[in-house]
Amino acid sequence: MKRIQSKFGILASLVFYIKKGLQRANVMLDGIVYAETRVNVSDVLQRYVDLEIDDIEEFAAIYTYDYHDYHRMLDNKKSKLKMYGEVYAMMKALKDRGSLDKR
């Protein structure tokens, strides 16, 4: 970093390092948020059988809401959208292969 030769040069350096530290903290916090919402495949399949909902979109929405309600993360929209997409994609793939036929 270029040295600033002024009376308040130390403040510019301090602001630079604070911004750098906040960026690192933001990256770490994003990693924590996304790590918490990993989809447990066996739990998803068990809930699918228990709830007896044939509509995959409806099931994915209900499962995602229940998970985030239980973990008190209802205000985290990014996490809900990510989990919904993962659950929906997984269930859609299973249904296309015929693995979700109940009868």
Side-chain angles (χ1 to χ4, degrees):
M1 187 176 140
K2 185 178 174 184
R3 256 187 201 201
I4 300 172
Q5 300 293 332
S6 72
K7 200 188 289 188
F8 300 104
I10 188 78
L11 292 178
S13 297
L14 184 62
V15 168
F16 173 77
Y17 288 111
I18 288 174
K19 283 182 181 180
K20 195 172 181 180
L22 288 175
Q23 288 172 347
R24 287 182 183 168
N26 194 19
V27 168
M28 288 187 335
L29 289 175
D30 281 345
I32 292 169
V33 167
Y34 291 125
E36 290 179 2
T37 59
R38 296 190 184 226
V39 176
N40 184 349
V41 176
S42 61
D43 184 48
V44 171
L45 294 176
Q46 184 62 45
R47 288 292 305 258
Y48 181 76
V49 170
D50 292 344
L51 293 175
E52 299 179 357
I53 298 173
D54 290 328
D55 185 20
I56 294 173
E57 292 175 353
E58 183 180 358
F59 170 75
I62 290 171
Y63 181 84
T64 301
Y65 179 84
D66 286 346
Y67 179 90
H68 284 80
D69 185 35
Y70 180 78
H71 293 284
R72 297 177 185 219
M73 297 178 5
L74 285 175
D75 57 339
N76 191 341
K77 291 182 181 181
K78 287 182 182 178
S79 175
K80 287 191 289 188
L81 286 172
K82 181 178 181 270
M83 178 176 262
Y84 174 83
E86 290 177 5
V87 171
Y88 178 76
M90 179 182 68
M91 299 302 284
K92 179 80 171 143
L94 289 172
K95 189 170 190 171
D96 289 346
R97 286 189 293 180
S99 301
L100 293 180
D101 293 335
K102 295 181 182 179
R103 291 160 182 89

